[in-house]
Structures are given as structure tokens and as C-alpha cells.
Amino acid sequence: MTAARILSAQLGLLVFALLWLVVFSPHSAQSAPYAALVIDARSGEVLHARNADTRLHPASLTKMMTLYVAFEAVERGEISLDTQVTLSKHAVSEPYATLGMRAGSKISLRHLIRAAAVKSSNDAATAIGEAISGSEVAFTRRMNRTAKALGMTKTTFKNAHGLTQNGHMSTARDMTILGRHVLYDYPEYYHLFSRRTTMVAGRQLPNTNRRLLNAYKGADGIKTGFTNAAGFNLVASAERGNERIIATVFGGKSSHWRNQRVAELLDMGFQRAPSRATLIKPRRPAYVGNLASDGSQNGRTIRVSGAVKRSIRPQPRPLADVDEAVAIAMADLLAEAPDLGPAPDELGQTQAPSELLAGEISDSAPVTPVELAALSARTALASPSRPKARDLTLRRAPKQVPRTEIVAAPNRSAPQDWGVHVGSYPSRFKAEQVLLATALTEMSTLDGSRRAVVRRPRGFDANFLGLSKDSAERACRRLQARNVSCSLVEPGRG
């Protein structure tokens, strides 16, 4: 009798354990509804749909919106990729956190974005929201406004990470719309979603989508998601030749089943899509920003336009009828400065005083008395003998080849003749080096511009010319988001 009771108790425990695995196991998603959508990414044309408008739990597909808002905030100058974010207790307490950092620790926004995009870190997603909007609740409101602007009509976000929460719902169609915007609105960040691993805070984090990326030819993203309520979700994109397909699956039974189904949908998309199609990029949504405490728009925006309207260098005050006495007085003041020694040229060599004047003044342009006085005083400072300023002869140097050189002179009759000034440097080589590095950093916004180095009395200006006003403002805004000082160059001032 005792043995029978023991056996009965063991069978009861076994049944209970099996029920627990079915109901609570993180790999159980049998009850999640299935939905799918396949589109031609180039045109947005729907190639296949099933339950595409059924509201379901999106799980970590939510992080596509978190990252989209983060990219927008960086572009608009609200925050920098190098901003050090302090992790809150709320962020580090998120379930399935992967950063493994304590509250109060600091980490750059750049690393938070990597962790959210590649490893789908919930703590990183929450920290991103708090850094941009002050709190996850405020950030969620911004996510919903952005979703509405994108045309995601059946999506409601309740958090920044996607863990199951009452009312946190979306559809396969809405998530496909979001994936397409991530691809085309911020192509400079899209490579994050195809990384197999990423380094964050000294740890190597693997991509949650690496199996599909490794197994399917042309796959390069975008985002996975899983919760018990959602099942195994995935928004995937693949490119082959001139064709690009986006396939979305909600409610997969397992990661293997989901990946297999997505591969079949991508194959279907490549079969049905035309080999040639006109690329029609989705329209960028209206900028929503954060809300101020009074409910007004863009409460925390640092700079909206990002364009500096005036040069960062003070311009000389226009003076009329300046006579030689005033010029000599200015030279007297400058001559009382301490001896600075010979002035180096752009190659690091020294020039004689006469070479300074001859190199910086030519017969091809009028020279004001103020300019002559400044140059004469500079000559006096550079001269070892330090002659008195009143003994200087203010006269035009012999006609020589001008030392001021414009690499690419602007076409002043063209409508696209705005530019971006990125700094003044002591040598032409340094200015050209900075121009090249900046062009490589911002290829998308500076594409088609002309790099120009202009010698000024105090150094060499590094400019990008030949842009429209909108393009120049956009380029400068993006550079400032990277903590690069810049200003606009108006037509005719290059």
C-alpha cells in the first residue's frame, strides 16, 4: 500500500512537471496565432498576406521602433552616439537583461544601440528610452506618435522592449512598414542588424538572428522577437541582385520553425517580385520629438534645424575712409606684443618677413589699410630685429603667383551653391585630411559635394561646396550630432 502511494505521488509530480513545461516554458508558444506578410521592399507591393492585420503581441520586434526613434534623435541633435547614459534601477531590473551592469553604471548610447539591435537586450532598450525622453513612459508616448506618423494604424506600444504587457499590440503589416522605414530612412545604421556579434562593455554579444543570416543567401536583418504570448516572431530582409524582399512572421512555433517559414516566404517573394522595379522609398514621417511638461512639441529637443546661421569666426567690421594714420596706430598696438619668432608656413618651414607680405597680398585683389596694417604688424612680430611699427613701409608687394588657392571654385550661377565649413587648420594637408575623413563619415549627405581648401590669413578653411541649402543644413545637422563643429557657407562665400 505504501509503495502504491509513493508511485502515485511520483506520477502526480511528473504530470505537474509536464504541465509546467507546456504552460510556462520559454520555448512554448503553441497557442500564439500565426500571421505573415511578404512585400517587395523596393515598391512596397504586397506579394503574400495571411492574418496581416490581426493585432498580436510583437515581442522584441518592438525594439525596431525603439531604435528608429534613437536614430532620429541622433540625427536631430537631441543626443549624441557618444553620450554617456547612466543606467537606472528600472533599466537594469528588466527581465532577460543581457548587459549585466549595475544601476549607476555609465555606458555610451552607441553601445546601447548595438546591444538592442544585435542581442535584443531589454535593459538596453529601456535605457535608450530613458536617455532620450527622460522616462520609459514618456518615450513610449513618443513611440506611439512616431508609429502614427509612419502609418502604423493598429499598433500600440506600452514599453520600449516588447515584453508582454496588456495593450502592447501590433500587426504583421505594421511591423513590415516599420522594417521598411528602418531600411530606407536610416541606411547608415542598417548594417547593425546583420552583425553576427558585437562588443558591448567588454562583452561579445551574439546576434539573435544569426542562424537565418548564416543559412539564407542575401539575408541581412532585421529583428527577432519571442515571448510566450507572442510566439517566435521575425521581420527579415534579404537582397539578391536588384531585388529586395521583406518577410514578416508572427506566432512561430519554434525558432527553427520560424526560420524555415521565413525562408519559404522569402523564396516566394523572390519568385513573385519582378526582376526590375523602380525604387520608391517610403516618405519620411513628420518629426514628432518629445513633449514638454505643458504638452507642447519638442520639449527636450536641443536643436531642430542644426544649421549655424553665422560663421563661427568673427568677421572684420566694415570701416570706411580708414586713413594711413589709423593703420599705423593699429600696427603700433600689435608691435607691442611679445616676440613670437618667425611664422611657420603650411609645411612647417619659416618665411622671411618680405615673403609673408608677398605670399598673402597680390595685385589681383584690393587690400584695405587695415589688412595692410595687420600684415605689417605680423611681419614686425616675425622679424628677429623687431623694427618699430612706424618704420614699416605699407606698400603692395610685387605681383607674384597668389598663395591663396581654391581647390574647386563654386559656380555662382548654380542654384546648388551652398556649402559646409568644418574648420580652419594650420596646413593645407591637415585641412584636406579632415575633409576626406568627414566625407567618408557622412557619405550619404555629402555625396556630390566638392571638397575645397581655401587659404586665409589665419589658416586653411576646409569646406564642402556645391550643395543645396537643404542638403547643407542636413549635413551640418548630422555632423553636429557627431560633435563635429560646422557652419553653413552661403553662395559666393566659399
Side-chain angles (χ1 to χ4, degrees), residues 85-115:
V85 177
T86 302
L87 298 180
S88 67
K89 291 182 179 179
H90 174 57
V92 300
S93 65
E94 294 289 4
Y96 311 112
T98 57
L99 291 176
M101 301 177 70
R102 297 181 178 179
S105 301
K106 290 183 179 293
I107 185 173
S108 69
L109 179 69
R110 185 189 309 274
H111 285 158
L112 290 175
I113 288 175
R114 290 180 187 175

Side-chain angles (χ1 to χ4, degrees), residues 53-99:
D53 295 308
T54 302
R55 282 168 56 85
L56 301 169
H57 296 283
S60 286
L61 300 187
T62 300
K63 294 186 181 75
M64 286 194 297
M65 178 59 78
T66 301
L67 293 166
Y68 186 93
V69 174
F71 300 154
E72 180 185 59
V74 172
E75 180 186 57
R76 305 293 296 195
E78 298 178 57
I79 194 170
S80 166
L81 289 173
D82 296 317
T83 297
Q84 293 296 307
V85 177
T86 302
L87 298 180
S88 67
K89 291 182 179 179
H90 174 57
V92 300
S93 65
E94 294 289 4
Y96 311 112
T98 57
L99 291 176

Side-chain angles (χ1 to χ4, degrees), residues 13 54 132 149 167 208 264 353 357 374 460 489:
L13 288 174
T54 302
I132 293 174
T208 56
E264 293 171 357
L357 279 177
F460 294 83
V489 179

Side-chain angles (χ1 to χ4, degrees), residues 169-387:
M169 307 291 282
S170 187
T171 68
R173 189 182 307 277
D174 281 359
M175 282 297 160
T176 304
I177 290 172
L178 176 57
R180 187 165 182 253
H181 274 278
V182 170
L183 170 64
Y184 287 116
D185 291 357
Y186 296 102
E188 63 271 33
Y189 296 105
Y190 186 71
H191 67 91
L192 290 171
F193 300 100
S194 62
R195 289 187 180 183
R196 271 56 172 182
T197 61
T198 187
M199 289 297 297
V200 175
R203 296 178 57 195
Q204 189 175 50
L205 304 180
N207 193 318
T208 56
N209 194 32
R210 60 189 181 279
R211 291 184 179 177
L212 181 69
L213 293 172
N214 292 331
Y216 193 85
K217 180 182 178 181
D220 55 11
I222 305 177
K223 191 71 191 73
T224 62
F226 168 79
T227 62
N228 287 332
F232 292 84
N233 300 347
L234 176 60
V235 177
S237 177
E239 184 177 30
R240 292 180 179 176
N242 296 323
E243 302 174 22
R244 178 176 283 279
I245 303 298
I246 297 178
T248 299
V249 164
F250 273 59
K253 299 177 181 180
S254 67
S255 60
H256 176 73
W257 185 94
R258 174 197 65 193
N259 291 347
Q260 186 177 19
R261 182 57 180 156
V262 166
E264 293 171 357
L265 293 173
L266 289 172
D267 286 340
M268 178 194 303
F270 283 117
Q271 290 173 2
R272 295 183 179 182
S275 58
R276 294 181 179 273
T278 302
L279 175 59
I280 306 174
K281 295 182 180 181
R283 290 186 64 180
R284 291 285 293 267
Y287 173 62
V288 298
N290 293 314
L291 294 179
S293 57
D294 60 358
S296 61
Q297 197 74 32
N298 302 334
R300 281 171 54 89
T301 300
I302 298 173
R303 174 176 290 147
V304 176
S305 68
V308 179
K309 301 301 182 183
R310 293 182 300 176
S311 172
I312 59 176
R313 300 190 309 279
Q315 300 295 324
R317 181 178 299 175
L319 298 175
D321 302 325
V322 180
D323 57 16
E324 185 175 336
V326 176
I328 293 176
M330 293 177 64
D332 278 340
L333 292 175
L334 291 173
E336 294 175 2
D339 192 354
L340 302 179
D345 66 4
E346 59 178 294
L347 297 178
Q349 300 173 344
T350 58
Q351 295 173 292
S354 60
E355 293 176 346
L356 287 170
L357 279 177
E360 296 184 2
I361 307 176
S362 69
D363 284 334
S364 60
V367 181
T368 65
V370 175
E371 292 172 337
L372 283 172
L375 290 172
S376 299
R378 178 177 167 187
T379 304
L381 294 174
S383 174
S385 59
R386 295 294 305 277

